[in-house]
Amino acid sequence: MSNSETVKVNIKPEAADKIKGQVKEGQVVLLSLNDGSNKYSDVGGTCTVGSSFQFVILDQKDPDFTIEVENNAGLDLYTSPAEMQYLGNDLVVDEKNAAMSLADDGGVIDGAVTVNEYNK
């Protein structure tokens, strides 16, 4: 994907409900890798690099996550330059059978996206 300062994602209604159900007013959400590469990751190991994502809920913006993610769910959503190398065009978040997926025009990136609140 390009290094543009804005990314767009289509969050399907079921996935939007799942995410928004955990976000309180005033909180921000990050689209973050969950592969051991950042402070929000709760997993590690080289087998997950670039293939595992999560939505992280924070009380305030993280200065490392500077790229705004435009979305149809009304979330205050950001990602970082480190995540961009794994994201293609036409991003879609969907939810089926209680599991959320992240896909782009190349196919499914992660079939088990989680939502986690991060408390420092």
Side-chain angles (χ1 to χ4, degrees):
M1 177 170 265
S2 69
N3 286 333
S4 66
E5 288 302 308
T6 303
V7 179
K8 292 182 182 179
V9 63
N10 176 14
I11 303 176
K12 302 284 181 124
E14 296 82 6
D17 290 345
K18 188 171 188 169
I19 299 165
K20 289 167 67 173
Q22 296 184 49
V23 178
K24 298 177 188 87
E25 188 171 334
Q27 288 184 312
V28 298
V29 183
L30 308 179
L31 177 57
S32 172
L33 285 164
N34 192 15
D35 61 1
S37 65
N38 64 57
K39 61 188 166 192
Y40 304 113
S41 297
D42 59 9
V43 299
T46 57
C47 63
T48 61
V49 172
S51 66
S52 187
F53 278 84
Q54 64 181 331
F55 288 100
V56 177
I57 302 168
L58 301 174
D59 289 333
Q60 59 189 7
K61 291 182 183 177
D62 182 321
D64 294 332
F65 285 75
T66 57
I67 300 171
E68 182 179 354
V69 181
E70 289 183 17
N71 65 90
N72 57 316
L75 298 169
D76 192 9
L77 183 59
Y78 300 88
T79 195
S80 83
E83 277 71 12
M84 292 298 290
Q85 66 183 319
Y86 301 106
L87 301 173
N89 295 309
D90 301 322
L91 293 172
V92 176
V93 177
D94 201 358
E95 193 270 340
K96 290 184 180 158
N97 301 322
M100 279 197 307
S101 63
L102 173 64
D104 62 17
D105 57 355
V108 175
I109 299 169
D110 183 357
V113 178
T114 58
V115 180
N116 302 299
E117 187 162 2
Y118 184 80
N119 299 311
K120 292 183 180 180

